[in-house]
Amino acid sequence: MTRLPPNLIIGAVLVALVAGTAALSLVWTPHDHTLLNIRGKFAPPSELHWLGTDQLGRDVFSQLMVAARNSVAVALISVCLGGVIGVALGLLASAMGGVVEDVIMRIADIGFAFPALLFAIMLAAVFGPSLMVAIIAIAFINIPVFARVTRASANQIWTREYVYAARAAGMGRVTISRDHVLPNIAAPIIVQATIEFAIAILAEAALSYLGLGAQPPAPSWGRMLSEAQTLMYLAPQLAIYPGLCIVTAVLGFSLLGDGLRDITDPRLVRQR
């Protein structure tokens, strides 16, 4: 029996913790995360408020739970959206080759050179800051990543004998890409998607920190950090808690992605 790598196990546990917290917040939180209690502000941890309250008397633990839901939702939607578009473009570039491939890859290079923050600022100037702005900006930076990974993996599949046999049988490029290429490059795409989840959560926190993501009263780890930066001497725990949540989520998805790569990469499997 092949032993699972430790980073895969640790990453899976951390991801399950974050995803479970996000799912639980849909049906239960200790308190209403929008409930204000000015008289009870900066309350220490207690049986009533497990992690205390913030500068407005809101329950910190409840806010962290709902913020986890928002972060996971943004990461999931943005990575899926960017992945679908990027994979489609990568498959198209690999299948068509020539000028089409060159054009798609040059567009991907432009996407790499265009900062997500600048794109988010442009969207916020037009539509106003919101979670949708964060989703679109993060999805935008994911498209060229998935396009390059897909194209590089697909180019190797197009040289295989079974693909030559399919072409000799009269199958079109679209059909071959769907039935033969995509199933055989699913592993690296899934690994890349897992790593992009970590980057997306970090990007969402950064955008919310700058006021371009979740808007009040919707909580966000990044915005909680932004609000706590002026209270570091008075209540440093208000910055520590969301910071630890971001570290846990990013570390979990990063370790999970590395673990999946370790068990799907034939070269690494042979080395073990």
Side-chain angles (χ1 to χ4, degrees):
M1 179 182 295
T2 303
R3 197 180 77 172
L4 295 177
N7 52 352
L8 176 64
I9 298 174
I10 296 174
V13 171
L14 294 178
V15 168
L17 176 63
V18 174
T21 301
L24 181 61
S25 70
L26 292 170
V27 295
W28 176 85
T29 55
H31 299 273
D32 183 355
H33 69 278
T34 62
L35 183 63
L36 305 181
N37 181 16
I38 302 301
R39 291 184 177 180
K41 65 181 181 180
F42 299 125
S46 64
E47 293 183 0
L48 182 61
H49 300 286
W50 297 346
L51 295 180
T53 60
D54 64 4
Q55 69 276 16
L56 297 177
R58 296 171 297 188
D59 183 67
V60 174
F61 189 76
S62 299
Q63 288 200 81
L64 292 174
M65 290 182 66
V66 179
R69 180 178 70 201
N70 292 336
S71 294
V72 170
V74 169
L76 179 63
I77 296 173
S78 60
V79 171
C80 288
L81 180 60
V84 169
I85 298 175
V87 169
L89 290 175
L91 286 174
L92 178 63
S94 180
M96 300 304 296
V99 177
V100 174
E101 183 177 15
D102 290 339
V103 170
I104 293 176
M105 289 301 101
R106 296 299 77 77
I107 294 176
D109 290 339
I110 295 174
F112 274 119
F114 201 82
L117 178 58
L118 180 59
F119 188 61
I121 292 174
M122 292 172 55
L123 290 176
V126 177
F127 303 105
S130 65
L131 274 180
M132 185 56 64
V133 167
I135 290 173
I136 296 175
I138 298 171
F140 177 80
I141 65 174
N142 277 306
I143 293 175
V145 175
F146 281 101
R148 279 197 169 277
V149 170
T150 302
R151 176 247 188 182
S153 301
N155 281 347
Q156 299 178 7
I157 302 300
W158 277 98
T159 61
R160 301 292 175 84
E161 289 78 4
Y162 57 83
V163 173
Y164 288 138
R167 295 180 65 180
M171 295 180 64
R173 292 181 178 270
V174 174
T175 304
I176 294 175
S177 296
R178 182 192 64 201
D179 295 343
H180 297 287
V181 177
L182 184 57
N184 285 284
I185 63 173
I189 293 175
I190 293 173
V191 172
Q192 187 63 43
T194 307
I195 296 174
E196 291 303 313
F197 264 105
I199 298 174
I201 288 178
L202 193 60
E204 186 277 331
L207 292 175
S208 295
Y209 180 87
L210 297 174
L212 301 175
Q215 299 299 301
S220 168
W221 291 334
R223 192 164 55 77
M224 292 175 71
L225 279 174
S226 178
E227 294 174 350
Q229 67 179 351
T230 59
L231 305 169
M232 289 299 295
Y233 293 103
L234 183 61
Q237 71 275 10
L238 296 181
I240 294 174
Y241 294 146
L244 288 176
C245 290
I246 295 172
V247 170
T248 300
V250 173
L251 180 62
F253 280 107
S254 297
L255 290 176
L256 182 61
D258 289 341
L260 289 174
R261 183 197 60 190
D262 291 344
I263 64 176
T264 57
D265 191 329
R267 294 169 296 180
L268 298 177
V269 172
R270 284 196 297 268
Q271 290 175 7
R272 294 201 304 270

